[in-house]
Amino acid sequence: MSLPRNFLDVDGHLWAYLEFGQGEPLVMLHGMLTNADFLMPIANALSLKFRVILIDLPGFGFTNALSKNDYKNITRGIINFFEKNQFGTGQFLWGFIRSGLAFGISCD
């Protein structure tokens, strides 16, 4: 399945993401050196029960790197992304490489 990217301005920075399926939101964060497309095989299956949101993290895919592209700023950007887009509450599914980001989001 090939889907067009959506773009959301978060604090003056365009974040690219894919969104499809229906149900409770399920956010999936890709690992290092990949992008949202890497998660499409499993996301397609999950979209039968969830509204899947795949974000191109800064510096990967169609989202340019932040001026200071570190965990703290990426985590803050993800939080602002969800507050601005009003996805509501949902679940996070992440790879072990990005678990630090998901942990930071959960704690913030």
Side-chain angles (χ1 to χ4, degrees):
M1 174 188 332
S2 179
L3 298 171
R5 293 275 195 300
N6 299 302
F7 291 89
L8 181 67
D9 185 315
V10 178
D11 303 324
H13 192 84
L14 285 179
W15 288 62
Y17 67 99
L18 298 167
E19 180 181 9
F20 55 99
Q22 295 181 357
E24 182 180 357
L26 176 65
V27 180
M28 299 175 69
L29 302 178
H30 63 78
M32 297 295 284
L33 305 178
T34 65
N35 61 29
D37 295 329
F38 179 77
L39 298 170
M40 285 302 290
I42 192 166
N44 282 331
L46 291 168
S47 70
L48 298 175
K49 293 189 177 193
F50 295 96
R51 183 171 141 218
V52 176
I53 299 135
L54 305 174
I55 303 171
D56 278 336
L57 294 172
F60 301 96
F62 292 88
T63 303
N64 292 328
L66 300 171
S67 58
K68 188 171 182 188
N69 211 38
D70 59 16
Y71 272 153
K72 181 177 180 179
N73 286 317
I74 293 172
T75 300
R76 175 59 42 207
I78 293 170
I79 291 168
N80 291 345
F81 177 93
F82 285 99
E83 288 175 352
K84 183 165 186 173
N85 209 352
Q86 300 176 346
F87 284 116
T89 59
Q91 301 179 44
F92 275 91
L93 180 64
W94 62 87
F96 71 94
I97 293 175
R98 289 293 184 192
S99 60
L101 284 177
F103 179 75
I105 293 164
S106 300
C107 292
D108 213 354

